[in-house]
Amino acid sequence: MSETEKMMPDSQIQLKEDPTPRDIAEYMVRVLDAKRGRDIKLLYVENRTIIADYFVLCTGASATQVSSLSDEVEYRLSEYGIAPLHIEGKRGDGWILTDYGSVLLHVFSGEQRDFYKLEKLYDEGSEQDISGLLTAD
């Protein structure tokens, strides 16, 4: 990815036509990064669970940001006709899980992320390199 693409405004982040689960997960990563989500991780879990192919994990700095990050991904995917199958958690809960079928989005408060340590359950080679999707700051 070029430096120009890395620095694109979030309004220019695009999802390709007929996206794969990987494309959707990477799109989520870019949207979360543009909205200043912290500690974003993309885990490939298809061989470790039947519930999804990918988990996208992100931490918000406050309860408001946790909700805002989740809402932004939902809104941006809705522009492509992609709606969540189910949402767990609500404002103030500290963890919102949004189910998009093959991709699960987990947006945590720092405390909830530290408590549940979800990425530890799926470590062993499942974390994907997303450095090319993230902005420098």
Side-chain angles (χ1 to χ4, degrees), residues 66-67 70 87-91 94-98 105-107:
V66 168
S67 295
S70 179
I87 300 172
E88 284 289 329
K90 58 185 182 300
R91 233 175 243 288
W95 181 5
I96 299 175
L97 180 148
T98 311
L105 171 64
H106 300 267
V107 183

Side-chain angles (χ1 to χ4, degrees), residues 31-74:
V31 170
L32 293 165
D33 181 57
K35 292 299 178 188
R36 304 286 188 231
R38 298 180 313 174
D39 197 21
I40 302 167
K41 305 272 188 216
L42 175 58
L43 306 179
Y44 178 68
V45 296
E46 181 183 36
N47 298 326
R48 302 183 57 84
T49 181
I50 61 169
I51 61 174
D53 294 345
Y54 292 95
F55 287 178
V56 177
L57 291 78
C58 178
T59 302
S62 66
T64 301
Q65 190 187 27
V66 168
S67 295
S68 177
L69 290 164
S70 179
D71 290 347
E72 182 68 12
V73 171
E74 182 179 354

Side-chain angles (χ1 to χ4, degrees), residues 3-14 30 34 135:
E3 285 302 310
T4 305
E5 287 176 304
K6 284 185 183 179
M7 301 181 77
M8 283 192 306
D10 63 302
S11 62
Q12 294 181 9
I13 299 169
Q14 301 293 314
R30 294 181 73 189
T135 56

Side-chain angles (χ1 to χ4, degrees), residues 78-125:
S78 74
E79 294 182 312
Y80 292 95
I82 300 171
L85 302 174
H86 188 73
I87 300 172
E88 284 289 329
K90 58 185 182 300
R91 233 175 243 288
D93 282 351
W95 181 5
I96 299 175
L97 180 148
T98 311
D99 180 355
Y100 288 93
S102 295
V103 183
L104 295 182
L105 171 64
H106 300 267
V107 183
F108 296 94
S109 66
E111 298 80 28
Q112 292 292 324
R113 180 117 179 226
D114 289 343
F115 180 77
Y116 286 103
K117 297 179 179 21
L118 192 61
E119 53 265 59
K120 289 228 182 235
L121 294 174
Y122 296 95
D123 55 4
E124 297 187 31

Side-chain angles (χ1 to χ4, degrees), residues 118-137:
L118 192 61
E119 53 265 59
K120 289 228 182 235
L121 294 174
Y122 296 95
D123 55 4
E124 297 187 31
S126 67
E127 186 173 344
Q128 304 294 291
D129 180 12
I130 56 170
S131 59
L133 302 173
L134 302 175
T135 56
D137 53 347

